[in-house]
Amino acid sequence: MSKKPVRVAVTGAAGQIGYALLFRIASGEMLGKDQPVILQLLEIPDEKAQKALTGVMMELQDCAFPLLVGMEAHSDPMTAFKDVDYALLVGARPRGPGMERADLLAANAQIFTAQGKALDKVASRNVKVLVVGNPANTNAYIAMKSAPSLPAKNFTAMLRLDHNRALSQVAAKTGKPVAAIKKLTVWGNHSPTMYADYRFATIDGQDVKDMINDQEWNANVFLPTVGKRGAAIIDARGLSSAASAANAAIDHMRDWALGTNGEWVTMGVPSQGWYGIPQDVIFGFPVTCENGEYKVIEGLPIDAFSQERINKTLEELEGEKDGVKHLL
Ligand SMILES: NC(=O)c1ccc[n+]([C@@H]2O[C@H](COP(=O)([O-])OP(=O)(O)OC[C@H]3O[C@@H](n4cnc5c(N)ncnc54)[C@H](O)[C@@H]3O)[C@@H](O)[C@H]2O)c1
Ligand SMILES: O=C(O)C[C@H](O)C(=O)O
C-alpha cells in the first residue's frame, strides 16, 4: 500500500537554492523513494517573485515526478505552513549595500518571527523545521522562540554544509574517500567562527588526527578553508553557494527523517546545556538520528584548543541573540 503523502513547505522557493532543492525533494531524494509529497511553496508577495515561482512549478510539473502528488504557491506563511510536516526555511533577506549586520539581523528577525508564529498556529505539531536562510542559527532561534506551542527540539539550523565541506577537505588531505570518514563534526554557528573538529574522526578504524598529525595545518589551513568557504564561493561564482547548500539541506532532512544508522552527522539544534552551551542556543553538535529524532553525542573530551574555538563561536551566537532580543 502506498504511504500517505506528507506536506513539505519550502520558503524562498523561487530563489537559487530553491531551484536546486525542489526537484530533489519531488524525486524522493529527501524523504525516500516511497514517500509521496505535497509541496507548499512560499515566496514574497511580489509580482516578479510569484511569476518566477510559477515558472519553477511549471518545470516541476513537466518532470512528471510520480511522488509529487500536490503543489501549491503561497505568499502568506499562514497558508503556506498549513498542516506541514517539514518546513525548509530558505528565504531570507540578503545583506544589501550599506546594510550593517544589525540591520540584517533586524530584517531577518521580522521574517522569522512571522514564520515562527505561523508555524505555531497552523503546522503539524510534529513539524520538523530546518533553517537555511542566514544568519541560520539565529533565524532558527527566532522562529523557535516565536512558536512556543511547538517543541523547541523541532527547530534546527543547517550546519551540514560546513560538515560536508570539512569531510571533503579531510578526504583530500588524507587521500581517502569521503565515505570512509566517520565521526567528524562541526561545532557552533554557521559562520566563519564554526569549529570543524576531526579529533574523533576515523578512517577504516584509524584515527584521522594521527593520520594527519599536523596541528599547524588544522589551525591555519583546514579551519580557515572550511570557515571561509562560503565567501570563497561567492568570490568565484559571483553568487552564494546554491547546489551544495541544497544538497546539505537534503542530507540534513533525510538523515533526521530516515536515520543515520549510528553514523555521526552535524545539526544545529537548541542546546539542552550540552558541553556548557546555554539552554536554547542553536548550536552545531555531533548527532545521530533514529526514528525521526536526533540525539546529541555527549561526553566527548574538549581540549584547550577546542574549548577556545567553541567559546569564540558561542560568543558570536550570544552577540547575535542580544542583537535581536528586543524584537522577540
Ligand atoms: N546555512 C547555509 O549553509 C547556507 C548556505 C548557502 C546559503 N544560505 C542562505 O540561504 C538563503 C537563500 O539563498 P539563495 O541563494 O537561495 O538566495 P536567493 O536570493 O537566490 O533566493 C532567496 C529567495 O527567498 C525569497 N524570500 C525572501 N524573503 C522571503 C520571505 N519572507 N518569505 C519567502 N520567501 C522569501 C526571495 O524572494 C528569493 O526568491 C540566504 O540567506 C543565504 O545566505 C545558507
Ligand atoms: O550566503 C552566504 O553568505 C554563504 C553561505 O552561508 C555559505 O556558507 O555558502
Side-chain angles (χ1 to χ4, degrees):
M1 209 183 75
S2 65
K3 284 185 169 175
K4 186 172 171 273
V6 293
R7 295 180 176 273
V8 181
V10 178
T11 75
Q16 49 151 6
I17 294 177
Y19 196 68
L21 180 62
L22 295 172
F23 299 85
R24 296 184 61 187
I25 299 175
S27 73
E29 285 184 58
M30 188 170 88
L31 297 171
K33 296 283 181 185
D34 59 347
Q35 178 59 67
V37 294
I38 299 167
L39 287 176
Q40 302 187 183
L41 307 176
L42 180 67
E43 258 300 340
I44 50 173
D46 161 88
E47 202 180 325
K48 205 167 150 217
Q50 288 293 325
K51 190 171 172 199
L53 179 56
T54 309
V56 175
M57 292 170 77
M58 285 159 68
E59 283 206 71
L60 280 162
Q61 193 179 20
D62 293 350
C63 293
F65 288 118
L67 291 171
L68 184 59
V69 296
M71 183 167 43
E72 304 161 5
H74 295 275
S75 58
D76 178 351
M78 286 294 283
T79 54
F81 295 157
K82 181 89 182 92
D83 297 329
V84 290
D85 304 289
Y86 300 89
L88 290 87
L89 309 186
V90 178
R93 177 81 187 277
R95 193 195 288 255
M99 210 172 171
E100 296 300 329
R101 190 168 174 81
D103 302 331
L104 183 74
L105 279 168
N108 279 300
Q110 250 176 27
I111 294 174
F112 287 86
T113 307
Q115 294 188 357
K117 283 183 179 159
L119 285 164
D120 197 51
K121 288 211 169 63
V122 301
S124 154
R125 299 301 84 187
N126 299 316
V127 64
K128 288 179 162 55
V129 182
L130 167 63
V131 177
V132 175
N134 280 322
N137 297 50
T138 295
N139 288 342
Y141 175 81
I142 293 164
M144 174 185 83
K145 286 292 175 194
S146 306
S149 75
L150 294 172
K153 69 178 170 61
N154 293 16
F155 288 81
T156 67
M158 193 162 93
L159 267 293
R160 187 60 175 263
L161 182 52
D162 311 274
H163 178 100
N164 289 346
R165 287 168 172 165
L167 279 177
S168 287
Q169 294 302 320
V170 168
K173 176 76 174 168
T174 57
K176 301 286 184 183
V178 274
I181 304 167
K182 312 288 178 201
K183 296 189 172 174
L184 182 125
T185 196
V186 181
W187 305 89
N189 197 7
H190 170 66
S191 91
T193 67
M194 59 87 238
Y195 172 44
D197 184 359
Y198 58 74
R199 288 177 305 134
F200 313 106
T202 59
I203 295 177
D204 301 329
Q206 256 192 289
D207 284 339
V208 166
K209 193 165 179 273
D210 296 343
M211 288 169 81
I212 293 178
N213 192 25
D214 188 348
Q215 179 56 15
E216 204 276 325
W217 179 80
N218 181 31
N220 299 326
V221 180
F222 174 66
L223 290 172
T225 302
V226 178
K228 294 181 191 159
R229 188 68 160 185
I233 287 167
I234 293 174
D235 184 48
R237 230 168 71 83
L239 286 169
S240 70
S241 63
S244 56
N247 180 67
I250 297 271
D251 285 350
H252 177 117
M253 280 307 212
R254 181 200 58 225
D255 286 350
W256 192 2
L258 305 179
T260 62
N261 293 316
E263 303 289 349
W264 294 18
V265 292
T266 302
M267 288 171 71
V269 305
S271 177
Q272 290 181 19
W274 303 297
Y275 298 97
I277 305 304
Q279 184 81 18
D280 286 351
V281 171
I282 308 258
F283 203 82
F285 288 108
V287 303
T288 54
C289 301
E290 198 179 348
N291 300 325
E293 301 285 343
Y294 59 80
K295 195 164 164 249
V296 170
I297 309 291
E298 294 186 68
L300 297 170
I302 304 296
D303 60 20
F305 176 80
S306 305
Q307 192 62 59
E308 196 186 305
R309 301 292 308 216
I310 287 174
N311 290 349
K312 188 168 164 222
T313 193
L314 174 62
E315 197 182 307
E316 181 182 50
L317 274 171
E318 297 274 40
E320 290 182 11
K321 217 172 83 179
D322 272 357
V324 296
K325 69 170 186 264
H326 61 290
L327 301 164
L328 290 179

